[in-house]
Amino acid sequence: MKNRLKSHLEQALRQCYAQGRLHSGEVPEIQLDVPSHAEHGDFACNVAMLLARAEKIAPRKIAEELMAALGEGDGLWRKVEIAGPGFINFFLSNRCWYGVLDDIARAGEDYGRCHLGAGKKVQVEFVSANPTGPLHIGHGRGAATGDAVASLLEHAGYAVDREYYINDAGNQMNTLGLSLYLRYRELLGETLDFPANCYQGDYIRDLAAEVVASEGRRLLDLTEEQAVAHFARFGGERILAGIDDDLQAFGVRFDRWYSEQSLYDRGEVERGIELVRERQLAYEQDGALWFRTTAFGDDKDRVMVRSNGATTYFASDVAYHKEKFDRGYDLVIDVWGADHHGYVPRMKAVMTGLGRDPEDLQVILVQLVNLLRGGQQVAMSTRSGEFVTLREVIDEVGRDACRFFFLMRRSDSQLDFDLELAKQQSNDNPVFYVQYAHARVCSINRAAQEQGMQPPALGEVDFDRLVLDEELVLAKRLAQFPETIAAAAQSFAPHRVVFYMQELAAQFHSYYNRNRVITDDPETTRARLYLANCVRIVLRNALRVLGVSAPERM
RNA sequence: GCGCGAUUAGCUCAGUUGGAUAGAGCGUUGGCCUCCGGAGCCAAAGGUCAGUGGUUCGAGUCCACUAUCGCGCACCA
């Protein structure tokens, strides 16, 4: 609809130039905004103001010329006017708005999808928590965000892969192995000092206890080095399996689990370092090998190979990102904790250094979750091992509320997550409010069915029966859904979908409360059922993007 | 010290990428059930968009400085 208006405007502008009524020849991008006030119409265009400078005449004058060239617009609008400093305001015809109901009925599950991405390959890498402990709620927010962004991009026509990067190389796995080994020995009767830099959480003891149960004292015969290696492998696998379980319970599925260690095993890290050398971006200093990232905007060069010969995490990250693009992705998105924001410039520098556009790498930063219970802060500290796990929160408030709450705010701003509120079944709780709107339509359908009526199919509805303002407002809101998805996808911002749903649900609840869908008049009833079911379809599609269920009864 | 980010209603936050008179939810106050699910709805009050200057037809939005808060500044991962 917006696009149709746009092409009308472009045509009018070209006509003005052709007829010599305007002279500059400039064709700016036509912008159409939905004004905040209804008296300014359905869409407002500012092109006359943009042209004012080049044309050197008053914007209202330009707007007049454009309006004259616009003509009737074959019934798309019922009124066009010039207002304020030179806005061109369009008032669309009701028939045109109710046409979106047919679009929705026709498209069904696909309503809201678009081809913005043109099939480009995108990888979204997220969670990627170290396999040294269970997922906590911070990871949960990353999981919800990454999954929703991936889903948004799918809806916008990108070919998306979800990937989890496993940091299974380096000394943290040794630390894990050592932590388990020491707890194992403790459980078998030794008293020893458990080092502060080892993992303190109870899950370490639990895992060690499993080993005691299955292996007994046998592993005491190993050398410490052998034992640590054994425990590291065992612990890593078990913890990763637990993470996978938690993510499945959360409804997140990855296309690929990518091991950092495999980069070493296949020589990718070596190849990455070679490439940096070939491009003359490496130099040696103090016995270490450095990547000259300062050449591309980083404020410090970065070490790839330490003076003791060990490669850094940065080196494998270079290799990993190089390898992502080798796999043919056009766009790579990393979802990171916001405390890693300092790493963005260096990774962008790596992109440039490797000959890619830095825009091909997008980093989404996810801020901390502040967990509350009835307004009171829940204490958390990863260091001491006292943290609230994702699993605990899913078990307590349910997957739907959990995902919804994680996505309610822009990902880069801190989030208050109140467990009591998330469990509450009232209008204070936004997730129930939205789901309830969906269930309510289903309930109306059931009531209609009992009276022998089916939700009407395409073409069975007389839109002239929709005469209420609220019905028009609902139709307009429904028409906005595809652009909401597109805009949210382009800015990697799932929270926009949340806000959209809350508005739509509020409008529907309000409509429902004031009017009966099922009336004495069969034609009116049909039209209203049709409208209500379009609301249901859009709510369901929106919830699906976020990974939240759309229940038929609650 | 340097860098990144934030600052919008009593609280928690949006703000369609620079548009017209600033938007929700919660909280507060006052209303609404003979009715398809009240798990809901309606209404009112509430604002110097942190401050100062700048850019222009037009600034919550862009730029500079200031203040306050948060985070980051390893040959760790």
Side-chain angles (χ1 to χ4, degrees), chain A residues 408-450:
Chain A
M408 270 188 344
R409 305 274 178 253
R410 324 166 36 100
S411 63
D412 58 355
S413 73
Q414 267 202 350
L415 172 76
D416 285 341
F417 187 148
D418 195 312
L419 292 166
E420 294 305 321
L421 178 59
K423 278 192 292 188
Q424 216 168 306
Q425 311 217 343
S426 74
N427 58 334
D428 295 351
N429 183 351
V431 61
F432 278 90
Y433 185 79
V434 170
Q435 287 183 316
Y436 179 48
H438 181 272
R440 186 166 243 178
V441 180
C442 296
S443 166
I444 296 169
N445 285 338
R446 286 191 294 270
Q449 232 142 26
E450 279 168 24

Side-chain angles (χ1 to χ4, degrees), chain A residues 114-122 153-154 156-160 328-330:
Chain A
C114 66
H115 299 97
L116 200 72
K120 283 210 285 186
K121 282 188 70 179
V122 184
L153 291 168
E154 282 167 349
Y158 291 85
V160 184
Y329 291 111
D330 300 299

Side-chain angles (χ1 to χ4, degrees), chain A residues 161-449:
Chain A
D161 284 331
R162 294 164 170 82
E163 184 155 308
Y164 187 117
Y165 184 53
I166 311 164
N167 296 127
D168 54 0
N171 55 29
Q172 63 196 341
M173 294 311 287
N174 285 325
T175 306
L176 174 67
L178 180 63
S179 307
L180 284 166
Y181 178 52
L182 294 176
R183 290 298 189 208
Y184 171 75
R185 282 167 51 186
E186 268 183 356
L187 286 167
L188 292 175
E190 271 184 66
T191 39
L192 42 82
D193 282 334
F194 194 77
N197 61 355
C198 277
Y199 297 109
Q200 308 287 323
D202 290 340
Y203 63 94
I204 296 288
R205 217 182 306 249
D206 296 343
L207 277 176
E210 279 186 43
V211 177
V212 172
S214 62
E215 305 281 342
R217 309 182 67 88
R218 235 162 36 87
L219 299 178
L220 292 178
D221 299 337
L222 299 173
T223 65
E224 172 154 334
E225 196 185 345
Q226 287 172 324
V228 166
H230 176 273
F231 276 100
R233 199 169 49 248
F234 166 81
E237 280 169 14
R238 287 300 304 272
I239 290 173
L240 201 59
I243 287 173
D244 191 15
D245 271 356
D246 291 352
L247 287 169
Q248 282 187 28
F250 202 38
V252 175
R253 211 201 81 261
F254 285 94
D255 297 294
R256 188 159 189 179
W257 297 71
Y258 197 102
S259 153
E260 181 189 3
Q261 184 59 48
S262 77
L263 286 169
Y264 286 96
D265 297 344
R266 297 196 318 275
E268 288 289 345
V269 177
E270 272 310 309
R271 266 195 289 283
I273 292 170
E274 269 319 298
L275 183 62
V276 176
R277 280 209 164 101
E278 280 166 26
R279 289 181 162 258
Q280 316 280 315
L281 296 171
Y283 64 93
E284 291 198 31
Q285 187 183 306
D286 305 330
L289 184 76
W290 301 71
F291 187 153
R292 198 184 304 280
T293 50
T294 50
F296 311 108
D298 197 7
D299 41 62
K300 191 177 174 305
D301 289 334
R302 306 294 169 179
V303 171
M304 297 188 83
V305 184
R306 290 188 271 163
S307 52
N308 68 5
T311 52
T312 58
Y313 179 82
F314 175 68
S316 49
D317 233 16
V318 170
Y320 180 43
H321 283 81
K322 168 191 167 293
E323 202 274 347
K324 288 185 183 195
F325 287 105
D326 289 347
R327 278 189 267 159
Y329 291 111
D330 300 299
L331 175 65
V332 163
I333 297 174
D334 290 359
V335 179
W336 295 350
D339 53 342
H340 290 75
H341 65 84
Y343 292 69
V344 176
R346 88 182 57 162
M347 285 316 296
K348 293 273 191 182
V350 167
M351 288 298 103
T352 315
L354 297 182
R356 294 292 305 204
D357 184 341
E359 290 300 298
D360 292 346
L361 171 70
Q362 293 289 329
V363 179
I364 298 174
L365 297 173
V366 179
Q367 264 290 4
L368 296 178
V369 177
N370 189 23
L371 203 60
L372 307 171
R373 185 181 291 283
Q376 292 291 311
Q377 184 142 10
V378 177
M380 259 184 298
S381 156
T382 315
R383 221 185 341 278
S384 65
E386 290 171 32
F387 47 79
V388 177
T389 63
L390 174 62
R391 174 64 76 153
E392 286 166 345
V393 178
I394 297 173
D395 287 348
E396 180 170 349
V397 307
R399 167 181 146 182
D400 284 346
C402 195
R403 288 186 76 132
F404 194 97
F405 268 68
F406 281 143
L407 297 171
M408 270 188 344
R409 305 274 178 253
R410 324 166 36 100
S411 63
D412 58 355
S413 73
Q414 267 202 350
L415 172 76
D416 285 341
F417 187 148
D418 195 312
L419 292 166
E420 294 305 321
L421 178 59
K423 278 192 292 188
Q424 216 168 306
Q425 311 217 343
S426 74
N427 58 334
D428 295 351
N429 183 351
V431 61
F432 278 90
Y433 185 79
V434 170
Q435 287 183 316
Y436 179 48
H438 181 272
R440 186 166 243 178
V441 180
C442 296
S443 166
I444 296 169
N445 285 338
R446 286 191 294 270
Q449 232 142 26

